[in-house]
Amino acid sequence: MQRERNLVKRKLRKELDLVFVKNPVLVAGLALAPAVVGSFTVKNGVGLSLVFGMVTIPVLVLASFLGMLPEKVPQYVRTIACAVLAALMLIPARLLAGGIAPNLFDSLGLYFSAVAVNTVWLVRAPLCQEKKPQWAFCEGICHTIGFSICVLSVSALREFLAYGTFWGNPTALSVRFPAVAYAFAGFITVGVAAAVLRWCIDRGHDVAALARRQKKKWGTQR
């Protein structure tokens, strides 16, 4: 019983790593296009996160169920099934996201449709075929949270600097930098955020390693 609990904890810890340590955008470099092009207002960030989650989570769960099919079912058939579901999920996602960020689709253009084939599920779906549906669902949730944290942080910073607003409401910033709203600034912002996260992860590993060494040292002295 204890062994099963430890196994579940390890799996859960591995899935939770997808939020920060293995963030889909800042660490893995996946789904960069929509994250960069559309993330210049907080409303757009919320809309993007909603669309991403509504596409990615069902597709990863479907991939898990497809993994239960006989091995004679070709991999390309499984990938096509996932792509069809992703495309279908864009319909309700557009309706819901449109109520939050009406300008999201104009700013994304063809990149909105590209969310249906975002690189997160393209990379992770084959791996989820080896997982149980509940763990595939958990992975989809963690990927969505990681994507949302990145996009919302970048969106808030870019909206603040470009328009001096937050969620469309004026702030105390009197100086504007309109160029921050352009795509090239999005790439720079995401790149800086990725570097900062990488630095934090490395320092966290250093602190954890130091703590383990000290614990081992104290144990030897006793």
Side-chain angles (χ1 to χ4, degrees):
M1 190 67 178
Q2 185 63 34
R3 185 177 180 181
E4 292 179 357
R5 290 179 180 176
N6 291 336
L7 180 61
V8 170
K9 288 181 180 179
R10 285 197 298 269
K11 286 185 176 180
L12 184 58
R13 192 180 301 113
K14 186 176 180 180
E15 299 296 342
L16 291 175
D17 282 346
L18 297 173
V19 177
F20 290 107
V21 180
K22 298 180 181 178
N23 186 280
V25 180
L26 299 180
V27 176
L30 304 176
L32 273 175
V36 167
V37 176
S39 61
F40 57 87
T41 67
V42 177
K43 290 184 178 180
N44 276 15
V46 172
L48 268 175
S49 301
L50 179 63
V51 173
F52 179 89
M54 290 185 67
V55 169
T56 303
I57 296 173
V59 168
L60 294 185
V61 174
L62 174 63
S64 176
F65 281 109
L66 292 175
M68 301 176 185
L69 296 177
E71 292 183 1
K72 63 181 180 181
V73 178
Q75 181 61 44
Y76 72 85
V77 173
R78 303 169 194 246
T79 303
I80 290 174
C82 290
V84 170
L85 176 62
L88 291 175
M89 290 305 299
L90 280 182
I91 300 174
R94 182 184 181 106
L95 294 175
L96 291 176
I100 300 173
N103 297 326
L104 175 63
F105 314 111
D106 294 333
S107 59
L108 280 179
L110 60 87
Y111 289 104
F112 175 75
S113 300
V115 176
V117 286
N118 73 74
T119 47
V120 171
W121 78 254
L122 285 172
V123 170
R124 299 301 304 181
L127 301 177
C128 284
Q129 292 179 20
E130 302 174 1
K131 295 184 176 182
K132 294 182 179 180
Q134 60 267 32
W135 288 111
F137 177 80
C138 182
E139 176 167 334
I141 292 291
C142 291
H143 273 306
T144 301
I145 294 174
F147 179 87
S148 300
I149 290 174
C150 169
V151 169
L152 292 176
S153 301
V154 172
S155 297
L157 178 62
R158 293 177 69 189
E159 179 181 354
F160 179 71
L161 294 176
Y163 307 114
T165 60
F166 182 84
W167 197 262
N169 300 313
T171 63
L173 184 67
S174 58
V175 181
R176 307 286 190 273
F177 305 93
V180 177
Y182 294 121
F184 78 90
F187 276 106
I188 294 174
T189 307
V190 171
V192 171
V196 171
L197 179 60
R198 183 73 265 175
W199 183 87
C200 292
I201 292 172
D202 290 341
R203 298 294 77 73
H205 288 164
D206 293 342
V207 171
L210 178 61
R212 286 194 297 269
R213 288 196 298 269
Q214 290 296 332
K215 184 178 180 180
K216 185 177 180 181
K217 180 179 179 182
W218 293 334
T220 303
Q221 291 176 351
R222 289 180 183 178

